[in-house]
Amino acid sequence: MAILVGTLVLMLPIAKSGSDGASVLEALFTATSAVCVTGLSVVDTAQYWTPFGQATILVLIQVGGFGIMSFASLLGVLMARRLGLRSRIQAAAETKSAGFGDVRSVLFGILRITIGVELVVAVILALRFGIGYGYSPIHAIWLGLFHSVSAFNNAGFALFSDNLTSFVGDPWICLPIAFAIIIGGLGFPVLFELGRRYRRPLHWSMNTKLVLSGTGTLLVMGTLFISTLEWNNPRTLGTLSTANRILAGFFQSVMTRTAGFNSLDLSQMHPATWLGMDILMFIGGGPAGTAGGLKITTFAVLFFILLTEVQGGTAVNIFGKRLSRSVHRQAITIVLLAVALVIGSTMALMLMTDIGFDRLFFETVSAFATVGLSTGITASLPPAGQLLLIFLMFIGRLGPVTLASALALRSRPLLYEFPKERPLIG
């Protein structure tokens, strides 16, 4: 419904620069990208839309980000209430989230975090735009508010035609935006627990430990990977100072946490860099947050399954806790379905266009993981290709969380088991 309303509003002549309104496909693509907090666009947001259209996009981003966090968190509440008494007691002990099952506390907690982070970042950005770049107070406040909301919700929409490439060496612009993206990508359950137990890390839940350790690891690895491969590329990092190269490498690593800002021209990057960013985008951020992807926890579970199997273990243990076998199956199911969807969509785009595989694969991963980064081919895709990206953004935003919830609620005990047998593996 939010996408439908947003599409209709963006089709109004008042929303588009010029005398006529936007086409149905342009409005639908932009509304879907905003509500699904992706950031892909088939038009120039800064030039194509009027201030009314840009404000509409801002509202859609806020509605989409808040709705996704609320939706995912409340699904967790629903699952907890559907479990048996023993399972609910175990879940409460595991998550250390007394009171988290209260719908009112969930919604108000999300609202407080959202408003708090967005206001702080908006003030910093507004001051920088006003003092550092000479924008009028009203314009600076608008720029600060828009980019703050877009950053916290991991949307990636910018009000500059070159996105943020003009600010590649400005830490007062890049770092606050990166901070908002990281906070939004951690997920509400992690932020909620950190607010209550920040002094007792040993008592944090497995989810919080996985998200924090995974986020830190991926940010460092992503920064080193992008900086190393692009360090001497004259079309990206090569012409920057050492400090600015590190800042730009870190900023682009943060963007792979599923935010679509870019301070470098991605179309000029090496294909190997694109492939590494594909992996980072596909993993995504924390669950029940504004980040997309298949979530850090999902891939952490697969990593520990792999580690246990290589070491010859019989049970998967993470941070001193044993992982339920049902979680193994859920993680494997979600990842395999997502891989099949991304590969199938890439093949479909290859049949529609003459664009190379690496760029098309980057585009499909970015859409499915609701990242918004692009090598510059979004607008050149045929209408059928753009409709496919719309489908990927919608499925990528709602699919993983709803599938995980459905798999968790469908578990039922069997009254019998078949005899064991194993095929040859490898």
Side-chain angles (χ1 to χ4, degrees):
M1 290 301 298
I3 291 173
L4 175 60
V5 172
T7 301
L8 295 176
V9 174
L10 289 176
M11 289 176 63
L12 297 175
I14 192 178
K16 176 183 173 295
S17 300
S19 57
D20 55 343
S23 68
V24 176
L25 184 57
E26 291 169 340
L28 176 62
F29 194 101
T30 304
T32 305
S33 184
V35 173
C36 296
V37 290
T38 304
L40 287 175
S41 181
V42 293
V43 296
D44 184 345
T45 304
Q47 302 295 328
Y48 191 85
W49 304 108
T50 64
F52 175 83
Q54 295 170 1
T56 301
I57 294 173
L58 181 67
V59 172
L60 293 176
I61 292 172
Q62 188 70 84
V63 169
F66 182 81
I68 287 297
M69 286 194 294
S70 304
F71 176 69
S73 299
L74 294 180
L75 269 181
V77 174
L78 171 64
M79 286 193 296
R81 292 180 176 176
R82 289 283 300 275
L83 297 174
L85 178 59
R86 182 188 301 273
S87 299
R88 291 177 63 179
I89 294 174
Q90 293 174 347
E94 171 63 25
T95 59
K96 309 293 191 303
S97 54
F100 184 67
D102 180 14
V103 173
R104 183 185 297 271
S105 69
V106 171
L107 295 179
F108 277 99
I110 294 174
L111 185 62
R112 286 194 299 269
I113 292 173
T114 300
I115 294 177
V117 174
E118 289 178 353
L119 281 180
V120 171
V121 175
V123 169
I124 296 174
L125 293 178
L127 291 174
R128 182 57 178 168
F129 283 127
I131 299 175
Y133 295 94
Y135 288 100
S136 66
I138 298 299
H139 195 187
I141 292 173
W142 170 241
L143 290 174
L145 178 63
F146 187 96
H147 291 91
S148 173
V149 172
S150 183
F152 177 75
N153 291 285
N154 282 218
F157 281 93
L159 294 182
F160 302 97
S161 298
D162 59 354
N163 206 281
L164 297 180
T165 56
S166 298
F167 309 101
V168 62
D170 190 341
W172 291 101
I173 297 295
C174 293
L175 292 182
I177 289 177
F179 166 78
I181 290 167
I182 293 172
I183 294 298
L186 291 178
F188 171 72
V190 173
L191 297 176
F192 187 83
E193 186 170 358
L194 289 179
R196 296 174 58 250
R197 297 177 178 270
Y198 65 94
R199 293 183 177 179
R200 292 184 287 177
L202 294 179
H203 297 278
W204 290 347
S205 67
M206 180 190 296
N207 180 75
T208 296
K209 292 178 180 179
L210 286 176
V211 171
L212 291 179
S213 59
T215 298
T217 301
L218 292 175
L219 286 176
V220 172
M221 292 178 61
T223 301
L224 292 175
F225 176 81
I226 295 173
S227 299
T228 301
L229 266 66
E230 298 295 324
W231 192 264
N232 294 317
N233 185 346
R235 294 168 295 181
T236 53
L237 295 179
T239 59
L240 303 176
S241 66
T242 300
N244 288 346
R245 290 181 188 182
I246 297 173
L247 174 63
F250 170 74
F251 187 78
Q252 289 307 143
S253 176
V254 174
M255 295 311 108
T256 61
R257 312 268 34 85
T258 79
F261 293 109
N262 62 280
S263 61
L264 300 172
D265 186 354
L266 300 187
S267 66
Q268 302 301 318
M269 284 184 168
H270 193 279
T273 308
W274 291 339
L275 183 57
M277 294 176 69
D278 289 336
I279 298 173
L280 294 172
M281 292 190 297
F282 195 65
I283 295 174
T290 56
L294 292 186
K295 306 300 184 290
I296 291 173
T297 48
T298 304
F299 277 83
V301 166
L302 294 181
F303 171 78
F304 281 103
I305 291 175
L306 172 65
L307 186 64
T308 301
E309 191 66 26
V310 170
Q311 294 176 343
T314 57
V316 179
N317 300 312
I318 304 177
F319 300 123
K321 298 290 182 67
R322 183 167 57 87
L323 196 65
S324 170
R325 290 189 179 276
S326 62
V327 178
H328 305 188
R329 297 191 298 269
Q330 292 170 20
I332 294 172
T333 300
I334 292 173
V335 170
L336 290 180
L337 289 176
V339 168
L341 181 61
V342 169
I343 292 178
S345 299
T346 304
M347 292 174 63
L349 289 178
M350 291 176 69
L351 295 174
M352 298 177 192
T353 69
D354 296 326
I355 301 174
F357 168 79
D358 46 7
R359 292 179 182 268
L360 292 178
F361 187 67
F362 191 96
E363 199 80 5
T364 54
V365 172
S366 180
F368 174 77
T370 66
V371 181
L373 295 176
S374 175
T375 58
I377 66 172
T378 312
S380 62
L381 293 175
Q386 295 177 5
L387 288 173
L388 179 59
L389 293 185
I390 290 173
F391 170 77
L392 285 174
M393 289 188 287
F394 186 83
I395 294 299
R397 182 70 274 183
L398 295 179
V401 63
T402 51
L403 179 59
S405 302
L407 292 174
L409 292 174
R410 281 176 57 87
S411 59
R412 60 186 184 274
L414 293 177
L415 301 179
Y416 62 92
E417 290 185 353
F418 291 104
K420 289 183 178 180
E421 186 176 352
R422 56 177 300 168
L424 297 177
I425 301 296

